[in-house]
Amino acid sequence: MRCRKCGESAALELRRHNAAFCVPHFTEFFRKQVREAIHHYRMFTPDETVMVAVSGGKDSLALWDVLIEEGYPTVGLYLDLGIFDYSRESREKCEAFAAARRQRLLIERVDAAIGAPIPEVQKATRRPTCSACGLSKRYLMNRAALTHGFVVVATGHNLDDEAATLFGSVMHWQTDALSRQSPALASTHPKLVRRVKPLYRLSELETAAFAFLRGIDYIVEECPFAAGATSLAHKEALNRLEAASPGAKHNFLFGFLEKARPAFQRGQDVQLTECASCGQVTTGEICAFCKLADQVKRRSTPLARSSGDPSR
Ligand code: Q46
Ligand code: ZN
Ligand code: ZN
């Protein structure tokens, strides 16, 4: 196997691109894909500071690494979900990454905002853990960016994540979710920051290879709640399709973005207003996060209330 660019012995074969690359040309290919994503969706300009939401995993740290190398001003945001050892270890990875590169890392504790760490939220509200967690993460990312004066938040969602989300939305024909599925969501309200996903052109395997080759020390273990998530089943189904037909995930996602998404966007412009309780953006009177926090407050057990440090 030879590198497509230089003819030297290749380190990596990318079947969906029908190509193989040596190490330097693979990392260059990776960065080029990120540059294309930023350029195509006008995600941000070189003078905007990008708040990178980092989880300690390969994707978000690889994204932060590329943005730093590309010369963008960045700041990291770590949300401490209070998920036992997973949170403690992932926080350490983010802190070490930021310190080694002399980058600023902001840390927000979910329990401080919602009244309990994520594992307790499910017990207090009966809401599926990942649903409460996802809602809290989106809310806190936006709030942190507004508080610190940043106009754009970047997340490490890759091609596999995006294809799996699309698959889930199609399975249930969630037209509102389909209208919102995009690598870049513009700010449609002064209190809603732009959200972008510069890795959407790169697969999970490619991101893992990039993180490894760049020597990024990331948390390999998954969140303990990931195992039961339906998104994993969707990823597995798509992986089988990809194995049988390389490029299937790419075609599924990119075909949607180019051909189908505009149809779902029509008539989906919702009126945004400010939550009567916290002042953040919502479509109703009280935002979903405040409702969740209120449920936690009303139903949490003495045990949940007394669980101090969420990163234990
Ligand atoms: S962190 Fe949160 Fe994920 Fe863990 S609880 Fe589920 S949503 S799986 S990306
Ligand atoms: Zn090469
Ligand atoms: Zn609110």
Side-chain angles (χ1 to χ4, degrees):
M1 231 178 11
R2 298 270 149 204
C3 170
R4 177 201 261 184
K5 288 274 181 183
C6 66
E8 292 294 314
S9 142
L12 224 98
E13 185 187 13
L14 306 183
R15 282 182 67 206
R16 73 188 174 97
H17 290 287
N18 204 11
F21 292 108
C22 65
V23 171
H25 283 123
F26 170 69
T27 48
E28 181 46 34
F29 158 85
F30 193 92
R31 291 198 176 100
K32 192 167 161 239
Q33 294 298 320
V34 177
R35 266 182 240 132
E36 267 184 42
I38 296 169
H39 177 74
H40 186 76
Y41 281 93
R42 297 194 180 120
M43 291 182 174
F44 37 79
T45 57
D47 54 354
E48 287 177 320
T49 299
V50 184
M51 176 180 264
V52 188
V54 285
S55 66
K58 63 186 185 321
D59 303 296
S60 54
L61 291 182
L63 169 62
W64 201 2
D65 181 81
V66 175
L67 296 184
I68 295 167
E69 292 290 311
E70 291 288 311
Y72 286 101
T74 63
V75 61
L77 171 70
Y78 176 76
L79 297 176
D80 191 332
L81 305 168
I83 304 178
F84 320 117
D85 283 350
Y86 168 74
S87 284
R88 188 182 48 73
E89 274 176 49
S90 58
R91 177 178 170 154
E92 284 168 6
K93 300 285 184 200
C94 293
E95 287 174 333
F97 181 99
R101 290 158 183 83
R102 297 177 189 281
Q103 297 289 310
R104 189 172 162 212
L105 177 69
L106 302 170
I107 296 179
E108 293 268 340
R109 285 175 53 151
V110 170
D111 68 340
I114 204 167
I118 288 296
E120 301 290 347
V121 172
Q122 192 271 339
K123 288 183 207 157
T125 64
R126 304 262 167 256
R127 188 179 176 136
T129 306
C130 288
S131 140
C133 180
L135 158 67
S136 305
K137 286 196 283 193
R138 284 190 297 277
Y139 177 92
L140 292 171
M141 268 188 247
N142 190 67
R143 197 179 75 175
L146 286 176
T147 307
H148 295 278
F150 302 117
V151 294
V152 56
V153 177
T155 57
H157 292 94
N158 59 38
L159 173 61
D160 293 51
D161 298 322
E162 291 301 279
T165 303
L166 174 61
F167 192 74
S169 302
V170 168
M171 288 290 281
H172 301 99
W173 289 114
Q174 292 163 325
T175 49
D176 53 338
L178 288 168
S179 76
R180 273 185 274 113
Q181 170 134 16
S182 171
L185 285 174
S187 165
T188 51
H189 186 282
K191 285 197 168 178
L192 192 64
V193 300
R194 202 181 321 142
R195 275 189 289 149
V196 298
K197 301 167 184 172
L199 297 187
Y200 83 98
R201 305 176 65 89
L202 291 149
S203 73
E204 197 157 319
L205 206 101
E206 289 155 10
T207 317
F210 181 83
F212 173 76
L213 295 170
R214 290 283 299 158
I216 296 172
D217 184 17
Y218 62 86
I219 182 161
V220 178
E221 291 78 40
E222 291 270 3
C223 166
F225 294 105
T230 41
S231 57
L232 261 196
H234 295 154
K235 275 191 178 174
E236 279 164 18
L238 288 167
N239 282 343
R240 281 203 288 277
L241 279 176
E242 182 75 24
S245 168
K249 283 182 217 172
H250 177 107
N251 294 341
F252 179 50
L253 180 67
F254 281 61
F256 167 77
L257 292 173
E258 284 155 25
K259 296 174 189 163
R261 185 171 180 262
F264 289 99
Q265 274 182 296
R266 282 194 280 277
Q268 286 283 350
D269 289 337
V270 285
Q271 200 59 44
L272 292 174
T273 135
E274 291 177 22
C275 168
S277 174
C278 72
Q280 297 289 306
V281 170
T282 179
T283 50
E285 197 194 339
I286 302 286
C287 78
F289 183 82
C290 283
K291 285 183 190 159
L292 187 70
D294 189 53
Q295 267 185 314
V296 172
K297 221 177 294 159
R298 279 188 285 119
R299 297 197 211 157
S300 63
T301 60
L303 177 73
R305 279 199 292 270
S306 67
S307 62
D309 182 1
S311 57
R312 282 164 305 137

